[in-house]
Amino acid sequence: GVSFIGATGTVKTLTIKNNSASYGGGVYVQETDSSVTFTGMNINDNTATNSGGGFYIDTGSVTLNSDVNVHQNKAGYGAGVFVEGGTVNLKNKIYKNEATYYGGGMHMTGGTVDVAGAYFCSSSSNTTLPTGKSQAIGAGGNYYQLHVL
C-alpha cells in the first residue's frame, strides 16, 4: 500500500489494490501535520491483519472525495476505514468491506469524522453485540464507534 507520514497534498486518479499490512493495507496516514485529500480513486481488495484494510488514519487531516470508492477490503477492525485519531471528512462510497470483528465499513476509536455525503452499503462484521445492545446497529456491519456517549 501507500503510507503518508507528515505529508501534505492531493492524490488523484489512482487504484490501490491487492496490498496487505498489519495496519492500513491500502493507505496508512500518520502525524498531526499530515493533510491529504484523495480524489478519483479506487481502494479495493486490500487486507490488514489488524485494522484498516482500505484506510488506517492514525492522526492528521484526511478527506475522501465523492469519487473515491473503498470496497472489498478486509481487516479485523474497520475493513474499509479505521480512524484512531485526526480529522476525517468522508464524502465517498464505502461498500462491500468485511471485518472479522467490528466495523465492516468503518471503525472509529478517536478523532473527529464528518460522514455527511458518505455512502455506506453492504459491508459486514462477523461479531454480534452482547445481549441488550441494539441489534439494529449489530456489531457495526457498516459503522462501529467505540466509546459512544
Side-chain angles (χ1 to χ4, degrees):
V2 180
S3 294
F4 297 90
I5 301 174
T8 60
T10 300
V11 181
K12 299 179 182 179
T13 319
L14 183 65
T15 296
I16 298 175
K17 182 175 181 176
N18 295 327
N19 298 286
S20 63
S22 294
Y23 298 88
V27 178
Y28 183 90
V29 179
Q30 183 182 19
E31 297 299 333
T32 55
D33 58 347
S34 290
S35 180
V36 187
T37 299
F38 297 90
T39 186
M41 296 182 64
N42 281 302
I43 313 297
N44 59 291
D45 299 306
N46 299 290
T47 302
T49 55
N50 192 308
S51 304
F55 278 86
Y56 185 98
I57 301 159
D58 182 24
T59 53
S61 174
V62 175
T63 298
L64 304 181
N65 284 326
S66 62
D67 55 355
V68 175
N69 296 299
V70 179
H71 60 101
Q72 297 174 308
N73 298 289
K74 294 181 180 182
Y77 301 90
V81 178
F82 184 93
V83 180
E84 185 171 345
T87 302
V88 182
N89 187 352
L90 301 177
K91 304 175 186 177
N92 65 311
K93 298 173 192 77
I94 300 171
Y95 59 97
K96 294 185 180 178
N97 298 286
E98 183 180 336
T100 304
Y101 303 108
Y102 297 107
M106 183 176 89
H107 184 118
M108 179 182 173
T109 61
T112 303
V113 178
D114 180 354
V115 295
Y119 173 82
F120 290 91
C121 181
S122 301
S123 290
S124 63
S125 165
N126 295 323
T127 301
T128 52
L129 290 174
T131 303
K133 300 291 182 181
S134 170
Q135 295 305 309
I137 296 173
N142 282 307
Y143 174 82
Y144 182 83
Q145 181 176 357
L146 188 62
H147 306 299
V148 177
L149 299 176

